[in-house]
Amino acid sequence: MSKLLSAFFLLAFTSLSAQTFTSTVNQLIPDDNTTVYFDIPVSGLANTIDTFYGLEQVCLNMTHTYDEDMQVLLRAPDGQTVLLFGGVGGGSDDFLNTCVSGTGMPFSSGSAPYSGTFLSYGIMGKLNNGQDPNGTWTLVVYDTYAAADQGFLIDWSITFGNDPAKPYIFSSSNLPIVKLTTQGSPIIDDPKTPVLMQIIDNGPNVRNNVNQTNYAFEGPIMAELQGYTGPYYPKKNYDFEVVDAAGVEMDTSILGMPRESDWMFKAEYLDNTIIKNTVAYEMARRMGRYAPRTRPCEIILDDEYVGVYVLTEKVKRDKNRVDIAKLTPTDTIGSALTGGYIIEMNINDDPSDWTSEFAPSNMASTSLEVEFKHVYPKSAVIRPPQHDYIRNFVGDFEYTLAGSDFKDPNTGYRKYINVGTFIDFLIVNEYSVNYDSYGRSTFMYKEKDSAGGKLKIGPPWDYDRAMDYNIPNSTNGWVWEITHPYWPFPFWWSRLWQDENYRHELACRWTMLRQSTLRTDAFMALIDSSAATLNEAQQRNFRIWNTLGNSTYAVQIDSLKSYMTRRLTWMDAALAAEQVVLPKIYLPADTVLCPGTVFDAAALNGSLYDYNWQPGPDTSIITLNEAGIYYLQATDAFGCYAGQDMHVTLAQPAAPGFSTAQVDNGLVWTFLPNAQNQIYHWDFGDGSSSALPNPAHTFAAGGTYIVALTLTDSLGCFTQTSMDTIEFTFVKTAEQASLEGHIFPNPFQDKMQIRLASPAAEAFNLQLNNESGQRILSQDYPAGTQVCTLFTASVPAGSYVLQMNMGGRIWKVKVVRG
């Protein structure tokens, strides 16, 4: 190798070796909501950094008495920034020789004082994008919790070398992909910032690709950071409004959810399952209450992948959300003034609109008052009479609840609140073990008096801190009773518990829900299906937000399932003390009824229950005009209920009509109805009748007869008559004619004499039958007989048939007993 070539390789190796630039700072980090910037000028590097040579790590020494407050970013010469860390270490102290790189262990695996090399929260490799590294690199430091404590940055350094941080490649997802592009200004806590939103969603079971340009939605939004504590965490929540080109709010359906303008991208940063809100809300909706709808997605913010988010409906007055009447500024008197309102109990640094006159139940551990805030109408627009009305209504409820007669069903607390919503709200907060509720993130709403007018609680909100399987023994005990030590809990829940009827109603509702909606296997199935949807995307999310530490997503999901199973079991045992007895009802399982039958379930089951037919009325009485399956629910005074199906078949009219046949062209006719299994009445048109299904009838002579068949079904539902005309000419044989002409007397009395035209050539038989064919008298005669006598004194009055049988031939004549 030549000396010249050797010198070239030495120069190349030297220029690509690791190089560190250091800045000694020794400066306070302000604690007044201001951001500070610390620069390092970089020079002498190659004019391109990429995946072969580039940014390797950033190191710093910083003291602080509450590490979680610190948020630290790195800004490159081209203006791009990356989050190094934020919200780590809790209330512990200091960062000593702390380095951040594209590799290393997650911060969640370490503890303060942090020392060593940790994985950056953001993707450091995105800065190795081909830019020129020579220029100013800036450490951006922000204390997220003002007026509490100060930090001190001693020094920091930045290192470039041939083991650079690598960019993270995100190309496609099974979830919808949301691209957010700011318009020159970052998204801050307030005011809202204009952002372009583009959503890629090709539908169920179709992958979504980052580079595709056919969007399910594309348009402007106005966005801001959301939450009281949320802005302090590295992964931010975003509130946003969909607007038109002029910046006016515009209702829009997003990812298949009902049209509205106000939405939120929930970061779920504190929830390593990413599904706690989804599970809590979905189960609440299955209970029949409104709760925000959700859809998971993955977000790219200003070309940087920022993880899995959950698109969530915000609590708002809307027919598809909190469905209450619109309250206008002119609604200040009478019934118009009484609704609708949405208020919130919350502590979030926003000023309260009023506070409770009663101390919180956990006043021993908190100095905060229970605060109420206007959500709808907002504080800025609500009229004074409206403010006074809803404040006084809530106040009257509190005073009544605190009073000695609070249990009175007419004048007590039930006069003011919809107890069913309070019970369901408690159930949601208790199965989720949500200590962040009851006195915080708690909504209530009131409809006009004409629509019920009672105060309802809900919808449920904010469950990312709930179901905390990392807290030992937290599956035991009532949340309303233990309470959060800091957030003020209103006295309501402990006071309600003193009402034995309320407790029994709660136990009934829980027992009913546990048989169906809130079965343990229903929770497990929902958790499994929600986790399966996220199983691919969660891997990308936790690569960016490495909060799992040494755990895995599967372990987190299993922990959640185990936790929920234990919590549900504890609630079963706790409410078993109320000794719930379920109603018992009876219905015929299968029944055939007349159309229009009025059926009264109370006649079978008593009048102590409230009844609801589905389909049908909320009464015990139902009129059955259609066949099908009817479900009856019987509910006792405490809300315990039982249900049973009744399969109803409605009787149908029988097929009308009949057919006839003449036997051997004689006087005998047979009749066959078109319908079977009916009650029959035949009128043969000659004064005789029959109740047989398939009668045979002998007419006295040929002629015209109107035969009528009346059918009645077995239930008596339908009676109908069909008629037919029988017309025939009967040609008599000599013997028949002779027989008919020589019967005397006819009508007969005690005896009847028959004279034949000539002596009989063969032996014969005479018999007298009734119209149904039943034999009354019978007498045999030898050949040569010409005159016969039948003694008929015992024969009752009526029509009969005299029948002569001779040599296999039969002749019949109708006769009458007078």
Side-chain angles (χ1 to χ4, degrees):
M1 181 180 295
S2 68
K3 292 183 179 180
L4 180 61
L5 189 58
S6 298
F8 172 81
F9 277 109
L10 180 61
L11 178 62
F13 179 81
T14 301
S15 64
L16 294 179
S17 61
Q19 188 167 349
T20 299
F21 299 83
T22 301
S23 173
T24 300
V25 179
N26 291 324
Q27 182 175 324
L28 285 173
I29 300 167
D31 192 26
D32 58 2
N33 280 325
T34 60
T35 302
V36 287
Y37 305 89
F38 305 101
D39 296 338
I40 287 182
V42 170
S43 61
L45 298 181
N47 59 7
T48 299
I49 52 175
D50 51 30
T51 58
F52 297 101
Y53 181 87
L55 173 65
E56 284 187 347
Q57 68 178 16
V58 173
C59 300
L60 58 82
N61 284 283
M62 179 169 58
T63 62
H64 200 281
T65 57
Y66 208 98
D67 285 0
E68 186 176 314
D69 291 353
M70 301 312 301
Q71 181 170 286
V72 179
L73 302 91
L74 177 66
R75 186 170 66 193
D78 69 353
Q80 289 199 69
T81 61
V82 64
L83 177 66
L84 299 180
F85 62 84
V88 301
S92 299
D93 301 343
D94 303 339
F95 300 86
L96 304 177
N97 296 318
T98 305
C99 295
V100 181
S101 73
T103 58
M105 66 177 178
F107 273 93
S108 57
S109 296
S111 60
Y114 288 99
S115 181
T117 302
F118 298 90
L119 182 65
S120 67
Y121 268 51
I123 303 300
M124 287 182 63
K126 77 170 188 175
L127 303 182
N128 292 321
N129 57 2
Q131 67 175 298
D132 186 346
N134 296 291
T136 300
W137 291 77
T138 303
L139 194 70
V140 182
V141 181
Y142 175 63
D143 188 327
T144 61
Y145 196 86
D149 39 27
Q150 284 187 325
F152 189 85
L153 181 63
I154 300 170
D155 57 43
W156 74 285
S157 65
I158 184 170
T159 299
F160 300 86
N162 55 13
D163 187 20
K166 303 296 190 294
Y168 183 75
I169 306 301
F170 172 45
S171 59
S172 68
S173 176
N174 64 311
L175 300 181
I177 298 171
V178 179
K179 295 181 177 180
L180 300 177
T181 306
T182 59
Q183 309 297 293
S185 299
I187 300 174
I188 59 175
D189 197 7
D190 187 57
K192 288 185 170 67
T193 301
V195 176
L196 172 65
M197 181 168 73
Q198 298 164 314
I199 299 178
I200 301 168
D201 181 21
N202 296 321
N205 303 316
V206 180
R207 289 198 70 79
N208 302 297
N209 299 296
V210 170
N211 294 328
Q212 70 181 77
T213 56
N214 53 317
Y215 299 115
F217 174 87
E218 182 177 23
I221 63 172
M222 298 294 292
E224 65 180 348
L225 301 182
Q226 185 275 337
Y228 174 52
T229 58
Y232 303 139
Y233 297 114
K235 188 182 182 186
K236 313 299 185 185
N237 300 319
Y238 300 105
D239 268 349
F240 68 94
E241 298 171 351
V242 181
V243 296
D244 60 19
V248 178
E249 286 189 50
M250 179 177 67
D251 289 348
T252 304
S253 175
I254 302 179
L255 297 181
M257 291 191 281
R259 294 170 59 88
E260 242 297 338
S261 60
D262 288 320
W263 305 85
M264 174 203 281
F265 286 120
K266 194 76 167 66
E268 311 294 8
Y269 178 72
L270 299 177
D271 174 16
N272 281 335
T273 71
I274 322 178
I275 64 172
K276 290 180 181 178
N277 274 314
T278 295
V279 169
Y281 296 158
E282 173 63 22
M283 282 306 191
R285 286 195 298 275
R286 293 183 186 182
M287 291 166 59
R289 306 295 182 185
Y290 167 72
R293 301 171 185 89
T294 60
R295 280 289 305 277
C297 57
E298 294 188 84
I299 292 183
I300 299 172
L301 174 61
D302 288 333
D303 296 323
E304 180 179 0
Y305 176 77
V306 291
V308 174
Y309 277 74
V310 179
L311 176 67
T312 305
E313 292 179 325
K314 290 184 63 178
V315 175
K316 188 175 181 182
R317 187 202 71 84
D318 183 270
K319 66 179 181 179
N320 293 308
R321 296 189 185 179
V322 181
D323 189 9
I324 56 174
K326 185 175 183 179
L327 192 69
T328 69
T330 61
D331 293 331
T332 56
I333 59 173
S335 177
L337 174 63
T338 62
Y341 297 91
I342 304 175
I343 58 177
E344 181 184 16
M345 287 185 286
N346 205 357
I347 305 294
N348 57 6
D349 277 352
D350 290 336
S352 65
D353 289 300
W354 79 91
T355 59
S356 173
E357 297 186 26
F358 293 85
S361 61
N362 57 338
M363 60 182 176
S365 61
T366 181
S367 61
L368 299 174
E369 296 179 291
V370 175
E371 295 185 358
F372 297 94
K373 298 173 183 179
H374 294 299
V375 176
Y376 177 84
K378 294 180 180 179
S379 302
V381 299
I382 195 169
R383 306 297 297 156
Q386 296 167 345
H387 164 80
D388 292 342
Y389 173 82
I390 190 61
R391 175 179 180 172
N392 290 336
F393 191 93
V394 174
D396 289 345
F397 158 62
E398 289 196 290
Y399 271 102
T400 303
L401 183 63
S404 59
D405 295 329
F406 76 104
K407 298 180 187 179
D408 188 286
N410 298 314
T411 62
Y413 69 87
R414 293 173 187 270
K415 177 181 177 181
Y416 297 94
I417 67 170
N418 182 302
V419 178
T421 66
F422 275 70
I423 286 175
D424 281 0
F425 186 76
L426 178 144
I427 287 174
V428 174
N429 285 319
E430 293 296 338
Y431 71 57
S432 62
V433 197
N434 186 21
Y435 289 95
D436 215 14
S437 189
Y438 286 122
R440 187 167 181 262
S441 298
T442 296
F443 292 93
M444 292 173 288
Y445 58 99
K446 184 186 181 298
E447 185 55 284
K448 293 184 185 299
D449 286 352
S450 58
K454 293 186 177 181
L455 190 68
K456 298 180 179 180
I457 196 164
W461 183 253
D462 199 7
Y463 289 79
D464 57 350
R465 296 175 186 261
M467 311 174 212
D468 193 344
Y469 41 82
N470 295 310
I471 301 178
N473 301 319
S474 64
T475 55
N476 296 343
W478 294 110
V479 174
W480 62 262
E481 189 173 36
I482 298 172
T483 78
H484 191 289
Y486 183 72
W487 306 124
F489 275 46
F491 76 96
W492 306 351
W493 306 96
S494 54
R495 185 62 164 168
L496 288 171
W497 194 258
Q498 296 174 25
D499 180 3
E500 58 276 7
N501 286 341
Y502 166 84
R503 294 198 308 272
H504 203 81
E505 289 173 47
L506 169 61
C508 278
R509 177 65 167 159
W510 176 254
T511 302
M512 298 299 100
L513 290 170
R514 285 288 280 154
Q515 292 183 352
S516 54
T517 305
L518 299 187
R519 286 169 55 101
T520 301
D521 57 3
F523 272 99
M524 299 304 105
L526 177 58
I527 292 171
D528 283 340
S529 63
S530 301
T533 300
L534 294 176
N535 192 49
E536 173 194 324
Q538 61 84 15
Q539 300 175 56
R540 292 186 286 268
N541 180 81
F542 291 117
R543 167 60 184 86
I544 305 300
W545 310 106
N546 37 70
T547 57
L548 287 178
N550 295 322
S551 183
T552 66
Y553 187 66
V555 167
Q556 301 294 315
I557 294 298
D558 286 344
S559 297
L560 177 61
K561 292 169 66 177
S562 175
Y563 185 89
M564 287 304 306
T565 299
R566 287 181 280 122
R567 179 58 177 176
L568 296 171
T569 301
W570 182 89
M571 290 181 66
D572 289 338
L575 290 173
E578 297 303 315
Q579 299 181 339
V580 166
V581 177
L582 303 184
K584 295 180 180 179
I585 63 172
Y586 168 75
L587 286 179
D590 298 286
T591 184
V592 181
L593 301 172
C594 298
T597 295
V598 177
F599 187 91
D600 187 0
L604 293 174
N605 301 285
S607 59
L608 296 179
Y609 299 134
D610 290 329
Y611 293 93
N612 171 250
W613 288 97
Q614 300 173 14
D618 291 332
T619 64
S620 66
I621 299 174
I622 185 172
T623 301
L624 299 167
N625 287 309
E626 295 184 7
I629 299 176
Y630 290 81
Y631 175 78
L632 175 66
Q633 180 172 298
T635 306
D636 69 13
F638 299 105
C640 286
Y641 62 86
Q644 186 163 332
D645 289 335
M646 181 170 71
H647 297 248
V648 174
T649 301
L650 295 182
Q652 299 293 326
F658 55 90
S659 57
T660 62
Q662 187 178 17
V663 179
D664 295 334
N665 295 318
L667 296 170
V668 179
W669 288 71
T670 59
F671 298 88
L672 180 66
N674 293 338
Q676 301 298 314
N677 302 317
Q678 303 287 301
I679 299 172
Y680 302 91
H681 178 76
W682 295 90
D683 183 343
F684 299 114
D686 61 356
S688 59
S689 62
S690 175
L692 297 175
N694 311 111
H697 180 65
T698 301
F699 291 91
T704 300
Y705 302 90
I706 299 176
V707 179
L709 170 62
T710 300
L711 294 177
T712 302
D713 68 9
S714 59
L715 297 175
C717 302
F718 296 99
T719 297
Q720 56 182 330
T721 300
S722 301
M723 304 179 73
D724 194 8
T725 300
I726 297 177
E727 184 175 1
F728 67 97
T729 301
F730 178 61
V731 179
K732 304 178 182 63
T733 65
E735 292 86 349
Q736 289 171 310
S738 176
L739 179 64
E740 184 177 3
H742 294 81
I743 300 172
F744 57 91
N746 189 10
F748 59 90
Q749 296 295 323
D750 291 342
K751 66 180 179 178
M752 176 175 24
Q753 190 177 82
I754 302 98
R755 179 183 292 274
L756 304 180
S758 59
E762 302 177 54
F764 64 94
N765 170 269
L766 284 178
Q767 66 184 47
L768 186 67
N769 299 331
N770 63 19
E771 287 193 303
S772 298
Q774 183 180 7
R775 181 185 300 175
I776 304 300
L777 297 173
S778 178
Q779 183 68 49
D780 294 326
Y781 298 92
T785 301
Q786 187 171 6
V787 178
C788 314
T789 300
L790 289 177
F791 294 95
T792 57
S794 62
V795 176
S799 298
Y800 296 89
V801 176
L802 179 63
Q803 179 175 308
M804 180 178 181
N805 305 306
M806 180 186 290
R809 296 168 309 214
I810 298 175
W811 297 272
K812 294 180 180 181
V813 177
K814 188 168 184 178
V815 294
V816 177
R817 169 70 155 95

